[in-house]
Amino acid sequence: MPKVPVQGDTAKGISYEFDHCGDRGSGAKSRHMAIFDVAMLRHTPLPFLIHDSAIIKFVEHAPVRELLSVYMQSANLTSRAGEPKQVFFSFDATTAYGQRAEELVAAT
């Protein structure tokens, strides 16, 4: 029976670590994951990105406003099919993030 890798175990000697610079808080993990996802969108053939609002619920408001700006800039990226890349984001608390967040959401 093949061994199924579990947390801390490695398959074929390969392991990956997603370091958060020592910050083990939920906000840092969510923020870093969102940044990683956007990097994958920018630097791979990935045509779109989907994020749910649960990703950012532990992140402070200022970084979320910046993330919305980064999402908007993704429209300037082009997929292999020549189409603009897209970000789909479920955002359920626009007013809590301020006027700039409301403007960004309304524009898209």
Side-chain angles (χ1 to χ4, degrees):
M1 179 186 241
K3 186 176 178 185
V4 178
V6 294
Q7 187 174 11
D9 198 2
T10 59
K12 299 181 184 177
I14 300 170
S15 68
Y16 300 92
E17 185 175 321
F18 189 46
D19 184 27
H20 302 284
C21 302
D23 190 338
R24 295 181 180 248
S26 298
K29 290 178 182 179
S30 294
R31 187 177 66 247
H32 292 152
M33 185 188 72
I35 292 167
F36 176 80
D37 290 348
V38 170
M40 292 298 100
L41 182 68
R42 287 183 175 184
H43 299 289
T44 69
L46 190 68
F48 61 88
L49 172 66
I50 300 173
H51 277 169
D52 184 71
S53 60
I55 289 173
I56 54 101
K57 71 180 179 180
F58 296 112
V59 179
E60 294 181 13
H61 289 181
V64 171
R65 285 191 294 271
E66 292 301 317
L67 183 59
L68 291 173
S69 295
V70 170
Y71 285 160
M72 285 188 65
Q73 295 167 10
S74 298
N76 298 325
L77 303 173
T78 306
S79 71
R80 283 188 175 169
E83 298 290 329
K85 291 191 175 191
Q86 297 178 322
V87 174
F88 299 93
F89 180 51
S90 169
F91 194 54
D92 58 4
T94 311
T95 56
Y97 291 90
Q99 183 178 352
R100 178 70 179 139
E102 290 183 75
E103 292 168 358
L104 292 170
V105 170
T108 57

